[in-house]
Amino acid sequence: MKPMSAKPDFNPERPATRRRRRGGRIVMWLVALLLLIILAAGGAAWYVHQQLQPVAGEQTVKNVAIPSGSSVQKIGRLLEEQGLIRDADVFNYYVKYKGVAPDLKAGEYQFTTGQAIDEILTAMVEGNTVINANRFTIPEGWNVDQIADHLDKEGIVEKAAFLKEVNEGAFPEYPFVAAIPKQADRKNRLEGYLFPETYEVDKDTTAHEVVSRMLAQFQKEWKPEWTEQLKQRHLTLDEAVNLASIVEREVTVDKERPLVAGVYYNRIRDKWPLQADATVQFILGKQRDRLTFEDLKVKSPYNTYTNPGLPPGPIANPGRASLEAVVNPAKHDYFFYVTKKDGTSEHYFSKTLQEHEANDKKSRGN
């Protein structure tokens, strides 16, 4: 007979004990994890707090120029480079947390190293720029000569120096400048690219710096996807700026800019002359209420009545609405337009010459 094996003692409390021990370990892990999270959060908060403190060291006065249209990130980088803040990224998050990002104003400011970050922000929100800054405004549709005369008159830079930079200055930081066609009959190389805007510059600024600021603004305004859209229309950036300059000078009411751009696209497609009065006005050098038939015969490569296609270069510096109108023109069958002469500055549009002549008589009140 086989001996009977001994049976283990039965203890109903053992599984519960194991469960309690396992539960205790889980609680300990959770507590440890929570402590780690608290420590990490505290460490992050401490780091952010430290980065928002004034920069230590000898106090030095710094002049910082904030270009028009600068992003918060760019402003932060400029302040960090000047040793006025500790961390541009923390500055960026802090400005957005404060909700003042849209209120930061361009201009030249005078700050002191060691200055509190909130004092710096308050100065930029209130626009407390330094006294030695000059502000000037370039309206949409002004040409290079008008801009040069204005800058000279306002004492910003001399006309001759400005024109020299426009036609001979080196601006390798802007790729679109290198792509401008070299044409002997183009009047001013950078015509069309001096973006109309209000600028603030230092009193001792140079002509090169003024031109560069305007080119930088153009680069900011021009959307990269526009270049791809133009390729589908078989148009280069320079040709688009050229056409936009005509639209700018021909149209006053923004909602009509895509319509007028569409008229010129139709004419280009069907190989019609553009016949834009604005190009003749550009040649004559002054604005006239009505051009004569003799004016339309003036000899110049810019005369779109006597020469096919676009002129050798832009005739003015277009604004945002005209640039966008050329990138996204209205689709229609119009080939003509004429001013209504009713005080609205709007136009009658027509598909045929017969309709156009009728609209012209209506415009003249005849």
Side-chain angles (χ1 to χ4, degrees):
M1 176 180 291
K2 294 182 180 179
M4 294 180 62
S5 59
K7 293 183 179 179
D9 294 336
F10 176 71
N11 186 345
E13 295 184 359
R14 284 180 180 174
T17 302
R18 286 196 293 269
R19 285 195 295 270
R20 282 197 296 271
R21 289 175 180 172
R22 191 180 303 116
R25 284 196 297 269
I26 292 172
V27 170
M28 288 176 63
W29 279 109
L30 288 174
V31 170
L33 180 61
L34 181 60
L35 286 171
L36 285 173
I37 292 173
I38 292 172
L39 287 171
W46 179 86
Y47 174 79
V48 170
H49 175 74
Q50 287 298 110
Q51 298 310 306
L52 291 174
Q53 297 308 303
V55 178
E58 184 181 349
Q59 291 190 336
T60 308
V61 175
K62 300 276 189 176
N63 279 16
V64 183
I66 307 298
S68 177
S70 295
S71 65
V72 177
Q73 292 94 328
K74 183 172 182 179
I75 294 172
R77 287 196 299 272
L78 289 171
L79 294 175
E80 184 179 354
E81 288 168 3
Q82 292 294 326
L84 292 162
I85 62 172
R86 296 172 180 269
D87 190 302
D89 292 329
V90 173
F91 174 85
N92 179 34
Y93 291 122
Y94 185 65
V95 169
K96 291 178 179 177
Y97 166 75
K98 297 277 285 186
V100 297
D103 303 318
L104 300 184
K105 296 176 177 60
E108 185 171 345
Y109 295 88
Q110 193 170 85
F111 299 124
T112 304
T113 53
Q115 196 168 353
I117 196 167
D118 283 325
E119 291 180 7
I120 293 173
L121 285 177
T122 299
M124 287 192 286
V125 168
E126 295 179 355
N128 297 330
T129 56
V130 295
I131 299 174
N132 67 330
N134 278 328
R135 180 179 294 223
F136 63 91
T137 299
I138 304 302
E140 289 89 347
W142 271 16
N143 59 42
V144 164
D145 289 332
Q146 288 174 304
I147 295 173
D149 286 336
H150 180 68
L151 295 177
D152 189 273
K153 181 180 178 182
E154 294 296 312
I156 309 296
V157 292
E158 292 184 355
K159 179 178 180 178
F162 180 80
L163 291 175
K164 184 176 177 64
E165 287 296 332
V166 165
N167 291 300
E168 302 175 22
F171 300 95
E173 63 271 39
Y174 306 113
F176 56 86
V177 172
I180 295 174
K182 294 177 173 60
Q183 295 175 263
D185 51 3
R186 187 175 183 128
K187 185 176 179 183
N188 286 303
R189 179 186 56 153
L190 297 182
E191 187 78 79
Y193 296 92
L194 306 180
F195 198 83
E197 183 62 275
T198 295
Y199 297 94
E200 196 163 291
V201 296
D202 190 88
K203 281 191 175 180
D204 59 359
T205 192
T206 66
H208 182 89
E209 290 168 341
V210 170
V211 173
S212 182
R213 285 283 299 280
M214 294 179 178
L215 295 176
Q217 190 64 29
F218 176 89
Q219 182 167 267
K220 178 179 179 294
E221 299 290 341
W222 185 266
K223 299 178 181 178
E225 59 267 28
W226 287 358
T227 303
E228 295 304 313
Q229 289 175 255
L230 290 173
K231 288 180 181 178
Q232 299 174 12
R233 299 182 182 280
H234 307 290
L235 216 65
T236 67
L237 188 154
D238 188 67
E239 290 169 334
V241 172
N242 194 338
L243 183 54
S245 74
I246 296 174
V247 172
E248 185 66 61
R249 294 296 300 156
E250 288 279 322
V251 187
T252 302
V253 182
D254 281 349
K255 69 179 182 180
E256 289 193 339
R257 297 188 193 280
L259 286 168
V260 172
V263 168
Y264 289 125
Y265 270 111
N266 289 344
R267 284 176 166 261
I268 291 171
R269 180 197 64 206
D270 290 3
K271 296 181 170 53
W272 285 30
L274 298 186
Q275 295 183 321
D277 288 358
T279 60
V280 178
Q281 303 275 18
F282 177 76
I283 299 163
L284 298 176
K286 55 185 176 180
Q287 190 70 24
R288 294 187 184 180
D289 291 335
R290 186 172 291 277
L291 296 172
T292 67
F293 286 111
E294 288 303 312
D295 292 332
L296 302 182
K297 296 175 185 177
V298 61
K299 290 185 178 180
S300 169
Y302 279 87
N303 189 342
T304 56
Y305 277 87
T306 58
N307 297 287
L310 291 164
I315 60 171
N317 293 277
R320 300 177 186 88
S322 293
L323 289 169
E324 190 161 10
V326 168
V327 176
N328 298 297
K331 294 182 180 180
H332 53 63
D333 297 324
Y334 297 134
F335 283 82
F336 305 90
Y337 62 90
V338 63
T339 308
K340 288 183 178 180
K341 297 293 194 303
D342 60 356
T344 65
S345 297
E346 295 183 356
H347 296 82
Y348 295 112
F349 291 86
S350 50
K351 300 176 182 178
T352 67
L353 179 60
Q354 184 177 6
E355 291 174 355
H356 174 63
E357 289 174 342
N359 284 337
D360 189 42
K361 286 182 181 180
K362 189 192 302 184
S363 171
R364 295 168 187 259
N366 187 353

